[in-house]
């Protein structure tokens, strides 16, 4: 199998470019790719400095450069070196220009500008970190989403991912011996979502967690029957309260978050249609 040098050239953080490249590469079986990341390329001098690296490691160049002079210069270098270069956002931007009836501004990094959406996202991250693992029940009503489930069902990483999308998230562990605060059952604003998983998978995850803590003693934490009882306890609580449930057994964090966001959007649409505020789902 050929090894590919993949050059990612951006005049901003390169986050968008990396995500596009990752999504495209995921369609191939174990591709042999060496990534070369070139963010914040905003001057002719900076661009010229990376040309020797392009020459030394020939491959495919993907770029998101909005400055016309930088684009032309990069394309000239690539033609001279015989390297294919792809402007990954051009077709999307052109389609948007056509549909919106206006030209794109061509400002690098504009999606990262410190506007209202940026500060909303920062606020969501602060809230989510402060309300991890059942902390701060007095402020759960302020959340957009509340995740609940037994230990090691990906509540915290999913919460952080959602916070980066601008959602305030609290997450609450369910423990058979210690029921959650009553505040959980009276929430009106947040969407409460139950996370569950297959017992065999949960035991495996918990065992790995104990190994990272250098803990080798067998406890009820990884007992198969005990884990099944915990999951049944959680499912009964989800059903009794009418909370939507997501099985994370075969889902990545991103897939779980996408399913939760879809639930939030569906509820928002229903609320708009009836013109009122819904009860907890």
């Amino acid at each position: 199998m050929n090894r590919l040098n993949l050059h990612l050239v951006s005049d901003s953080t390169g986050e968008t470019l990396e995500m596009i490249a990752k999504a495209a590469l995921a369609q191939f079986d174990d591709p042999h790719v060496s990534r070369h990341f070139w963010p914040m390329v905003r001057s002719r001098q900076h661009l010229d400095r990376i040309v020797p690296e392009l020459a030394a490691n020939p491959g495919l160049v993907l770029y998101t450069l909005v400055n016309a002079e930088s684009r032309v210069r990069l394309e000239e270098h690539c033609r001279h070196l015989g390297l294919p270069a792809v402007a990954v956002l051009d077709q999307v931007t052109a389609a948007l220009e056509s549909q919106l009836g206006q030209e794109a501004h061509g400002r690098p990094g504009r999606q990262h500008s410190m506007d209202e959406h940026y500060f909303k996202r920062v606020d969501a991250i602060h809230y989510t970190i402060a309300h991890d693992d059942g902390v701060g029940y007095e402020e759960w009503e302020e959340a957009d989403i509340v995740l609940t489930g037994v230990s090691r069902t990906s509540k915290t990483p999913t919460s952080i991912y959602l916070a980066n999308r601008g959602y305030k998230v609290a997450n609450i562990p369910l423990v058979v011996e210690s029921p959650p605060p009553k505040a959980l059952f009276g929430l009106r604003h947040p969407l409460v979502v139950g996370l569950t998983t297959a017992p065999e998978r949960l035991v495996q995850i918990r065992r790995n967690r104990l190994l990272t803590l250098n803990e080798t003693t067998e406890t009820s934490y990884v007992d198969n029957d005990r884990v099944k009882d915990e999951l049944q306890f959680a499912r009964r609580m989800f059903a009794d309260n009418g909370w939507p449930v997501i099985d994370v057994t075969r889902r990545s964090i991103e897939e779980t978050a996408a399913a939760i966001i879809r639930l939030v959007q569906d509820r928002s649409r229903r609320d708009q249609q009836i013109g009122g505020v819904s009860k907890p789902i």
Side-chain angles (χ1 to χ4, degrees):
M1 184 179 295
N2 294 331
R3 177 173 293 278
L4 171 67
N5 285 305
L6 182 62
H7 295 272
L8 307 177
V9 185
S10 172
D11 50 16
S12 185
T13 63
E15 179 182 352
T16 301
L17 191 53
E18 281 198 299
M19 291 176 65
I20 292 172
K22 181 179 180 181
L25 287 169
Q27 304 305 313
F28 299 87
D29 296 327
D30 301 320
H32 294 274
V33 177
S34 296
R35 303 189 194 191
H36 306 266
F37 187 41
W38 311 103
M40 307 304 290
V41 179
R42 294 185 177 180
S43 69
R44 176 173 177 171
Q45 293 77 12
H46 190 174
L47 183 58
D48 290 346
R49 284 199 301 271
I50 72 173
V51 172
E53 294 293 337
L54 298 180
N57 301 281
L60 174 62
V61 179
L62 303 182
Y63 66 92
T64 51
L65 298 174
V66 298
N67 180 271
E69 182 182 351
S70 296
R71 289 166 60 97
V72 169
R73 191 161 184 83
L74 176 62
E75 290 165 358
E76 288 177 347
H77 283 307
C78 289
R79 277 196 298 271
H80 178 72
L81 295 171
L83 304 180
V86 179
V88 298
L89 293 180
D90 273 18
Q91 288 189 331
V92 176
T93 303
L96 287 171
E97 287 180 331
S98 174
Q99 294 298 312
L100 294 173
Q102 58 176 290
E103 291 186 4
H105 290 292
R107 300 174 188 169
R110 200 176 186 204
Q111 73 271 32
H112 301 296
S113 60
M114 296 175 66
D115 56 9
E116 179 183 351
H117 296 291
Y118 173 83
F119 288 109
K120 178 183 177 182
R121 186 159 59 93
V122 171
D123 189 35
I125 294 171
H126 286 167
Y127 178 92
T128 301
I129 292 174
H131 295 82
D132 182 41
D133 204 30
V135 175
Y137 70 89
E138 303 90 349
E139 299 168 339
W140 287 349
E141 188 63 38
E142 299 175 19
D144 300 307
I145 301 165
V146 171
L147 302 182
T148 186
V150 302
S151 172
R152 314 313 293 180
T153 48
S154 303
K155 296 185 298 298
T156 294
T158 304
S159 296
I160 296 299
Y161 184 90
L162 287 165
N164 275 279
R165 297 289 299 272
Y167 295 94
K168 291 183 177 180
V169 187
N171 77 78
I172 302 157
L174 294 183
V175 181
V176 176
E177 299 83 2
S178 179
K182 293 182 179 179
L184 172 62
F185 307 103
L187 297 175
R188 293 186 59 81
H189 173 258
L191 172 68
V192 182
V193 179
L195 301 184
T196 189
T197 189
E200 300 80 10
R201 175 62 174 160
L202 185 55
V203 169
Q204 179 185 11
I205 291 172
R206 288 184 174 184
R207 287 188 186 279
N208 290 338
R209 173 60 175 167
L210 292 178
L211 287 175
T212 64
L213 300 174
N214 294 320
E215 177 60 60
T216 58
T217 304
E218 289 287 322
T219 68
S220 60
Y221 186 65
V222 293
D223 179 77
N224 286 297
D225 292 335
R226 173 63 178 176
V227 168
K228 289 178 181 178
D229 290 342
E230 285 185 59
L231 290 169
Q232 290 175 356
F233 166 77
R235 282 192 170 276
R236 282 196 300 269
M237 185 177 294
F238 301 156
D240 290 345
N241 290 278
W243 298 331
V245 181
I246 295 177
D247 190 328
V248 304
T249 305
R250 299 186 181 278
R251 293 180 189 259
S252 65
I253 298 301
E254 294 85 352
E255 290 171 329
T256 300
I260 293 169
I261 291 172
R262 187 165 60 247
L263 289 171
V264 171
Q265 293 172 340
D266 287 346
R267 187 175 78 158
S268 178
R269 281 192 290 269
R270 289 196 301 270
D271 288 349
Q272 291 174 1
Q273 290 172 356
I274 66 176
V277 178
S278 67
K279 294 181 180 180
I281 293 178

